[in-house]
Amino acid sequence: MFEICSVCFWEDDGQDDHDADLVRGGPNKRLSLTDARRNFAAFGACDQRCRKFVRDPLPSERPA
């Protein structure tokens, strides 16, 4: 927990699919996991401001 993903810059705060739509605050501030996933699909990071911190995913890190 609390690791930061080098691909999307989301900080693992324990949020998962069952509560993905909740905005918890904490390390990810105003983002829900659903919003972060949508942002990643649109521009490659959980938030626009985090784009400078991310790298491209490795083949093994891409969804099937």
Side-chain angles (χ1 to χ4, degrees):
M1 280 184 68
F2 301 105
E3 291 184 37
I4 297 175
C5 176
S6 57
V7 175
C8 70
F9 215 69
W10 175 262
E11 185 167 343
D12 183 1
D13 61 357
Q15 194 165 19
D16 209 348
D17 289 334
H18 71 278
D19 62 351
D21 293 333
L22 295 176
V23 176
R24 288 184 163 182
N28 298 302
K29 306 203 181 359
R30 67 188 195 296
L31 288 174
S32 69
L33 182 55
T34 299
D35 291 333
R37 288 172 172 167
R38 192 175 299 121
N39 289 345
F40 181 76
F43 50 80
C46 67
D47 187 282
Q48 278 281 11
R49 296 168 296 161
C50 299
R51 292 177 66 196
K52 60 187 169 194
F53 302 113
V54 300
R55 63 169 174 78
D56 289 335
L58 301 172
S60 63
E61 296 169 325
R62 295 184 186 278

